[in-house]
Amino acid sequence: MELELRHLKTVRAIADAGSLTRAATALGLAQPALSAQLKRIERALGGALFVRGRHGVRATALGELVLERSRIVLPAVTELQQEAARFARAPRTTERLRIGGTHGPLLGALLDRLAGVAPDARMTTCTSWSERELAGQLEEGRLDFALAGTCGTASPPGGEGLVWREVAVDPVFVMMPDGHPLADRAEVDLTDLADEEWACVPGDGCFGDCFTASCARAGFTPRRMYETDTASVVHLVQVGRAVGLCRATFPTTPRTVTRPLTGTPLTWRHLLGWHAATQRQDTATAVLAQARMAHASVAANSDSYTEWMSAHRVP
């Protein structure tokens, strides 16, 4: 016999009543039937749960263990049932949005905008370094939308039925400590950074190869590249260990500056993806519009990016 929730409720009722007679009355059973059920439960659990005495029943050590666990399991199941009932009664207009994204400020800005225009939507998020992983989750139906990106004009992550639309294209900037000799320049030539060590966040696209190729065209090979999380990249830059590669929308950070590279040798294309078979076109169009507005707001918060756009007459 496999243990079921009703068996835990029976054990709990016997312990609360203090006797099989009173428990049988509370459960609406005959005492012989309850005694037989208790024996089956005890066989399933491998030992006696109660000791009978003159004044009723008392839990054994095994019984105390089962009761302790039931105090956790039973309320949790009750809460699950109540939450499921609330969810089932919720209006069908309540929308669920499962949104994935890579590192960077765009995901947060998009969530903020969606929360403003759809305050009743149930939103969950998933972040990953891997654009391919996000594409796989779209394909499997585990995400509704994903913010990903590609280097330059590279193709977006593949997947049958996936739709990708461009949100924006940003130049790739460099992040330097504010005391760096080149920090006061409006833009920095990649050649002038030939002796630097580098830091960036990881990914599974072609960005690393494109960066190496850009350095080769500038006449040097990067000395070292630290691939690590965003906070560690910032730390390496702040202490002067490395120069970071970042999107132009990277937020202002203490003790660092971001500067464009002369000639814009590297660009990053922001994309929003979804599965054509599972998303209504009007929903996808609305989320894409919000993503584009989110990018515009993030870009406007970057002084170095707004100066670059003004200098290059980007609307």
Side-chain angles (χ1 to χ4, degrees):
M1 183 187 76
E2 292 187 358
L3 191 67
E4 300 176 12
L5 285 173
R6 62 187 179 90
H7 298 143
L8 292 180
K9 292 178 180 178
T10 297
V11 174
R12 180 79 259 169
I14 294 171
D16 290 343
S19 77
L20 287 176
T21 301
R22 288 192 293 270
T25 300
L27 293 171
L29 299 172
Q31 182 175 333
L34 179 59
S35 296
Q37 186 179 86
L38 176 59
K39 288 179 181 178
R40 290 194 295 271
I41 295 171
E42 288 177 328
R43 282 197 299 271
L45 292 172
L49 300 179
F50 297 98
V51 176
R52 291 179 175 84
R54 183 187 305 176
H55 302 293
V57 296
R58 146 178 87 78
T60 64
L62 176 59
E64 290 290 355
L65 173 66
V66 173
L67 289 167
E68 181 182 351
R69 296 295 189 270
S70 70
R71 292 187 188 100
I72 299 172
V73 173
L74 292 177
V77 172
T78 299
E79 184 179 355
L80 172 61
Q81 291 172 328
Q82 293 171 346
E83 185 174 351
R86 287 193 298 269
F87 184 85
R89 291 193 300 268
R92 293 301 179 184
T93 54
T94 299
E95 191 168 10
R96 180 185 65 170
L97 288 174
R98 300 166 299 172
I99 302 177
T102 53
H103 57 90
L106 185 54
L107 177 59
L110 175 58
L111 293 173
D112 180 41
R113 293 199 62 86
L114 291 174
V117 298
D120 295 329
R122 297 166 56 90
M123 285 189 285
T124 58
T125 60
C126 170
T127 56
S128 172
W129 301 115
S130 169
E131 283 84 11
R132 286 198 290 268
E133 180 182 355
L134 292 173
Q137 293 190 47
L138 286 175
E139 197 171 8
E140 294 165 6
R142 293 160 58 194
L143 287 177
D144 298 309
F145 295 94
L147 285 169
T150 62
C151 179
T153 58
S155 299
E160 186 175 352
L162 296 188
V163 177
W164 294 98
R165 292 291 181 266
E166 186 176 288
V167 175
V169 179
D170 289 336
V172 173
F173 280 14
V174 290
M175 185 194 318
M176 301 180 292
D178 53 13
H180 193 283
L182 304 178
D184 59 349
R185 294 191 182 182
E187 59 181 32
V188 179
D189 196 294
L190 191 57
T191 305
D192 294 332
L193 300 170
D195 294 329
E196 299 285 352
E197 295 183 355
W198 297 85
C200 72
V201 293
D204 53 14
C206 63
F207 182 78
D209 292 337
C210 292
F211 171 65
T212 301
S214 295
C215 293
R217 288 192 292 271
F220 70 96
T221 300
R223 291 173 57 194
R224 179 181 293 174
M225 172 63 78
Y226 301 98
E227 285 193 333
T228 184
D229 61 277
T230 303
S232 296
V233 170
V234 171
H235 176 77
L236 291 171
V237 172
Q238 288 173 329
V239 299
R241 173 62 60 187
V243 168
L245 291 167
C246 64
R247 301 170 191 178
T249 52
F250 196 86
T252 302
T253 306
R255 297 159 44 207
T256 70
V257 297
T258 58
R259 294 291 181 262
L261 289 166
T262 303
T264 315
L266 294 165
T267 58
W268 186 260
R269 187 161 59 115
H270 299 277
L271 302 169
L272 180 73
W274 62 89
H275 199 291
T278 58
Q279 287 304 320
R280 298 197 325 238
Q281 186 57 48
D282 57 342
T283 301
T285 300
V287 174
L288 178 60
Q290 293 299 325
R292 287 171 173 166
M293 287 187 282
H295 177 272
S297 67
V298 169
N301 288 329
S302 170
D303 292 339
S304 57
Y305 195 11
T306 53
E307 290 171 4
W308 182 90
M309 288 189 287
S310 176
H312 289 77
R313 298 181 180 179
V314 177

